[in-house]
Amino acid sequence: MAQPKKIFVICPVRNAEPDIQEKISEYVANLEAEGHEVYWPARDTEQQDPTGGLQICRANFREIMEANEIHIWYDETSGGSKFDLGGVFMLVEMLRWHKRIVIINEKEAAEKDRGLPKSHFQVSQYLVRKTCKN
């Protein structure tokens, strides 16, 4: 068995479709069954935030910084996911952060992204390529 990892899952939380939440839940359960410690914001971040979202952002970024790997369920409509991806972009691009990044639903996201001249998905793919050496 591979060394257990601490994994942060970037994914839609607010307004996430139930079928997507179920797929992510299954993905998380499989990782945990393999012995990994998974931080899934929909389950692990307190979503009632009297600060208007600051506590949520701080909690998620703290966990992103502590994770060995970042796994992304890409959803172009998820503002929170884009925010988290922006943080990861800064860590990789500006601070030369080298942790493995995985796009969970890459095939599906690539199909939806086909033909677009630019997108957050393409930035996510760049991050995967840039960090895949680790």
Side-chain angles (χ1 to χ4, degrees):
M1 181 176 138
Q3 181 78 11
K5 304 274 196 269
K6 187 170 183 180
I7 299 169
F8 185 93
V9 177
I10 292 177
C11 61
V13 174
R14 185 177 38 183
N15 303 321
E17 297 292 331
D19 61 320
I20 298 300
Q21 288 290 39
E22 181 60 31
K23 289 177 184 177
I24 298 168
S25 176
E26 289 172 16
Y27 182 80
V28 168
N30 287 335
L31 289 173
E32 291 175 334
E34 293 173 4
H36 302 293
E37 180 183 340
V38 180
Y39 192 93
W40 177 25
R43 175 190 70 192
D44 300 319
T45 301
E46 174 57 54
Q47 297 298 313
Q48 300 302 317
D49 186 349
T51 67
L54 293 172
Q55 290 176 354
I56 291 171
C57 293
R58 286 185 184 119
N60 285 352
F61 277 114
R62 188 171 27 258
E63 293 297 327
I64 286 170
M65 293 292 296
E66 293 177 7
N68 302 109
E69 298 183 358
I70 306 299
H71 293 209
I72 303 164
W73 182 280
Y74 188 79
D75 181 340
E76 182 63 30
T77 66
S78 174
S81 293
K82 289 178 188 175
F83 185 84
D84 291 346
L85 281 169
V88 171
F89 177 84
M90 187 273 304
L91 291 167
V92 169
E93 195 66 15
M94 306 306 213
L95 300 180
R96 303 187 196 307
W97 196 58
H98 293 285
K99 295 183 185 185
R100 183 170 181 248
I101 299 173
V102 173
I103 302 173
I104 301 164
N105 61 331
E106 185 167 18
K107 184 177 178 181
E108 173 187 278
E111 183 64 34
K112 290 180 181 178
D113 193 67
R114 185 171 304 194
L116 295 178
K118 61 184 178 179
S119 68
H120 289 96
F121 176 67
Q122 292 171 39
V123 173
S124 298
Q125 289 179 307
Y126 165 80
L127 294 173
V128 169
R129 288 190 305 273
K130 184 153 185 169
T131 61
C132 72
K133 297 173 186 159
N134 298 325

